[in-house]
Amino acid sequence: MLVKTKAIVLSSLKFQEKSLIVKCFTQSDGLKSYFVQSAYSNKKANQKIAYFQPLTIIEIEANHKNKGTLEHFKEIRLAHSYYTINTDIVKSTIVIFLSEILHHAIKEEEKNQNLFSFLETALLWLDTHDEMTNFHLILMMEVTKYLGFYPDVTEIDFPFFDTKEGYFTPFQSVNSLTEHETHLFKKLLDLKFDADQKVFAGIERQILLKILLDFYTLHLDGFKKPKSLEVLKEVFS
């Protein structure tokens, strides 16, 4: 079945000497993996490899056989050319980190138009704004809405958040955040991309990042903490 769709590149893995296996989150069909033969073997190799950098947004034509095997591209072009993400060290580090998060978090081979639209809008926002120190935290929190484990805020005035149950509680338990951690967590819940980026100190961002990674690990089977985590910490230290 020939499909034309936008896709967000989650990962690319070199296969043998010249080929790639590319994992994408597509607008039309959710998660898909593609085999790119001879990606490194012609004069346009550098241009072709550029399509498959982390969280690049592409437009593709592809044959989707939907048999659980690797699919194949027919045509590829950039849907959006980033202006700053690929040249700004902080932004590119954020994008590498988030591509790993999404690679391990998105599992379903089914359409999720709302998640795709959110990610596309968020990435374009990142590309055109300079104040983005909380971007990765906000995105990780917002993505939980689309993956089914966004915190229940019905009793948000309670002083503790139970990470396993996903709601606020008046009593501290083995699975709940401390009162201070819960306070930071509540502030993050209210935060938007264009909000004041200085709302958290550096150490508070580190605390929140750990909370979010643990939260993902609790609620997503097989979730792995990104290899780029230490690089991200170094950039924001």
Side-chain angles (χ1 to χ4, degrees):
M1 178 180 174
L2 184 63
V3 174
K4 295 182 179 181
T5 183
K6 287 183 184 178
I8 298 171
V9 176
L10 301 185
S11 66
S12 59
L13 177 67
K14 193 171 184 180
F15 180 76
Q16 296 180 343
E17 287 299 311
K18 299 179 180 180
S19 302
L20 281 175
I21 295 173
V22 180
K23 187 175 180 180
C24 293
F25 181 56
T26 69
Q27 188 173 28
S28 62
D29 296 282
L31 198 62
K32 285 288 181 184
S33 293
Y34 300 88
F35 182 70
V36 184
Q37 192 168 15
S38 304
Y40 292 90
S41 63
N42 59 47
K43 293 180 181 179
K44 293 185 178 180
N46 288 338
Q47 180 181 354
K48 186 179 284 188
I49 298 303
Y51 294 143
F52 306 125
Q53 298 305 304
L55 300 191
T56 299
I57 306 170
I58 54 179
E59 289 185 352
I60 65 171
E61 286 187 34
N63 288 312
H64 285 179
K65 296 181 179 179
N66 299 317
K67 293 182 178 178
T69 55
L70 293 173
E71 312 287 12
H72 291 81
F73 296 117
K74 283 198 70 176
E75 298 287 341
I76 313 168
R77 69 183 184 91
L78 290 176
H80 303 285
S81 295
Y82 290 142
Y83 297 104
T84 63
I85 283 177
N86 297 325
T87 55
D88 184 300
I89 185 64
V90 176
K91 290 185 181 182
S92 59
T93 302
I94 289 172
V95 161
I96 290 169
F97 172 78
L98 289 174
S99 69
E100 285 194 75
I101 292 286
L102 296 170
H103 173 82
H104 292 302
I106 299 173
K107 304 290 186 183
E108 298 302 319
E109 287 195 24
E110 59 184 38
K111 184 175 181 177
N112 191 333
Q113 175 68 50
N114 291 336
L115 176 56
F116 187 92
S117 297
F118 167 72
L119 292 174
E120 181 180 31
T121 301
L123 289 167
L124 296 178
W125 186 94
L126 177 65
D127 191 46
T128 54
H129 290 78
D130 294 327
E131 295 297 322
M132 68 298 180
T133 50
N134 298 316
F135 179 86
H136 56 301
L137 302 175
I138 299 169
L139 187 137
M140 286 180 70
M141 181 68 87
E142 289 295 309
V143 163
T144 67
K145 290 180 181 177
Y146 306 99
L147 298 183
F149 60 102
Y150 187 75
D152 180 349
V153 297
T154 307
E155 303 290 353
I156 197 169
D157 290 336
F158 286 150
F160 302 103
F161 180 71
D162 188 309
T163 55
K164 186 175 181 180
E165 299 300 330
Y167 54 62
F168 293 88
T169 171
F171 308 108
Q172 188 167 18
S173 70
V174 66
N175 295 312
S176 63
L177 304 178
T178 66
E179 198 162 356
H180 175 61
E181 290 170 339
T182 301
H183 173 68
L184 295 177
F185 195 72
K186 288 178 182 180
K187 285 174 70 174
L188 179 59
L189 280 168
D190 286 337
L191 212 57
K192 306 300 180 187
F193 289 131
D194 56 359
D196 181 8
Q197 297 294 303
K198 297 177 182 177
V199 65
F200 298 121
I203 187 64
E204 291 175 331
R205 277 194 292 271
Q206 299 288 4
I207 291 168
L208 283 166
L209 182 57
K210 182 182 184 305
I211 289 169
L212 286 167
L213 288 170
D214 290 343
F215 193 44
Y216 270 61
T217 302
L218 269 174
H219 291 274
L220 295 172
D221 289 340
F223 180 79
K224 298 178 181 177
K225 293 182 180 180
K227 295 177 182 177
S228 57
L229 177 59
E230 293 307 315
V231 179
L232 185 79
K233 288 180 179 178
E234 186 70 25
V235 166
F236 283 115
S237 64

